[in-house]
Amino acid sequence: MYKQELTEIIKANIVSLKTTSSWDRWDDLREQVIFNFLDIDFTKLIQDYEPCSSNDDLYISESELLEMMDTFTFYNLSGLQEKEEKEEKEEKEEKEEKEEKEEKEEQVFSFMESRVEKSPPISKNLPLPNKILHYFIREREKRREKIDTELLEEEIKRFLETGVKILIRKQQNKYIHTSFSTCPIPETGEQPVTFKTHEKVCKFVKNEKFNYLNKKGLNSQINSSDANRGLQIYNEMMRNCCPRCEIFAYPANLIQLYMLYLSLDGNMYILFSSHGFLTHYLLIKDDNWFRNQM
């Protein structure tokens, strides 16, 4: 009934977004997509819109939403890439035209041939076959750059699942309270913390807008006993100066966790997780945060 209208709205929300070039555009793009989805109100955008009553009568099913998000996000990424390649091509052609005046024709062809590199084929055995992942794998191979495919798969999967969850509830016109994060809880039992764990957490804390919830600040939900334990762990970490991550409070039966994290660069963070993913972080300079909870 409203499928075409919903599709156009979702597509416009993704394809029309403007992001900067380079790998950072993926971080920016997926945040903007989620933010826009959270702001969608189909009852205001579609006249006489009738919300779905359950997951069984969705106008756009979960599998269709998954495919749409993957496809339209790929369109956005590849469109930007095509623009960049066009600019690079024009610049290259201009340079070659200049050189043509000074060199013989066969020298020019030789010059061009020596610089043409064929992109290696994309792996046919990708663990997560989707358009976004294929795009990044192709870019990696083309640019001869290394990329942590496992971490990328994790980010893409979380992005798609979160977006789909939001769009399902938007079709039903239901309230949404979601934590958008692609960073899973660190392995707190690691001694020392592995580089992969550091890489994940550092990516989470490097940019505050990575998670919209963090802008609201970290609300205190711990008692004095937990605060005291956190203070003890903090002092121990500061004495040893060894990168580490350890839980010091779990006020909601392990659904929510408070952790202390000492990074490779010596920064101390309080990390908060919900349902298996980091949702907030707080950079602390001293032990005042703990003392204020006592």
Side-chain angles (χ1 to χ4, degrees), residues 16 32 37 75-76 144 146 168 185 191 214 293-294:
S16 62
Q32 290 184 42
F37 283 178
Y75 287 168
N76 189 308
R144 301 296 195 274
K146 291 184 179 181
I168 286 175
I185 297 174
Q191 293 296 337
N214 203 64
Q293 315 304 315
M294 296 178 182

Side-chain angles (χ1 to χ4, degrees), residues 162-180:
T162 302
V164 167
K165 179 173 68 173
I166 292 171
L167 291 173
I168 286 175
R169 295 188 69 81
K170 287 291 184 178
Q171 290 184 72
Q172 300 167 345
N173 196 30
K174 291 184 177 179
Y175 172 76
I176 296 173
H177 178 70
T178 183
S179 336
F180 173 56

Side-chain angles (χ1 to χ4, degrees), residues 41-183:
D41 187 342
F42 292 133
T43 61
K44 292 181 178 178
L45 295 173
I46 301 175
Q47 186 174 4
D48 301 324
Y49 177 75
E50 297 176 11
C52 306
S53 58
S54 70
N55 287 3
D56 295 327
D57 65 348
L58 292 172
Y59 298 119
I60 305 179
S61 68
E62 183 176 353
S63 59
E64 290 174 318
L65 288 170
L66 198 64
E67 177 63 26
M68 286 168 56
M69 279 192 65
D70 185 31
T71 300
F72 297 155
T73 303
F74 167 75
Y75 287 168
N76 189 308
L77 289 167
S78 60
L80 286 169
Q81 181 62 22
E82 288 171 1
K83 182 180 178 182
E84 290 175 0
E85 288 178 349
K86 182 180 178 182
E87 291 173 352
E88 289 175 4
K89 183 179 178 182
E90 290 175 352
E91 186 178 342
K92 182 179 178 182
E93 288 175 350
E94 186 178 340
K95 181 180 178 182
E96 288 172 355
E97 282 178 14
K98 210 171 177 183
E99 291 174 346
E100 264 185 41
K101 296 178 182 179
E102 302 172 359
E103 299 183 27
K104 294 179 181 180
E105 185 175 335
E106 55 185 78
Q107 290 176 318
V108 174
F109 287 138
S110 176
F111 169 82
M112 293 174 66
E113 249 179 11
S114 67
R115 283 160 175 76
V116 172
E117 293 184 2
K118 293 184 179 179
S119 300
I122 302 173
S123 171
K124 294 182 180 180
N125 299 313
L126 297 174
L128 181 63
N130 61 53
K131 298 180 183 67
I132 302 175
L133 183 61
H134 278 238
Y135 168 80
F136 282 115
I137 295 294
R138 183 166 58 248
E139 286 305 294
R140 178 198 66 179
E141 294 178 337
K142 196 189 309 184
R143 299 173 185 270
R144 301 296 195 274
E145 293 177 347
K146 291 184 179 181
I147 184 172
D148 188 332
T149 307
E150 184 181 341
L151 180 57
L152 179 60
E153 287 180 5
E154 199 171 75
E155 292 177 350
I156 294 172
K157 183 173 182 289
R158 178 65 172 165
F159 164 70
L160 294 175
E161 288 179 348
T162 302
V164 167
K165 179 173 68 173
I166 292 171
L167 291 173
I168 286 175
R169 295 188 69 81
K170 287 291 184 178
Q171 290 184 72
Q172 300 167 345
N173 196 30
K174 291 184 177 179
Y175 172 76
I176 296 173
H177 178 70
T178 183
S179 336
F180 173 56
S181 167
T182 59
C183 188

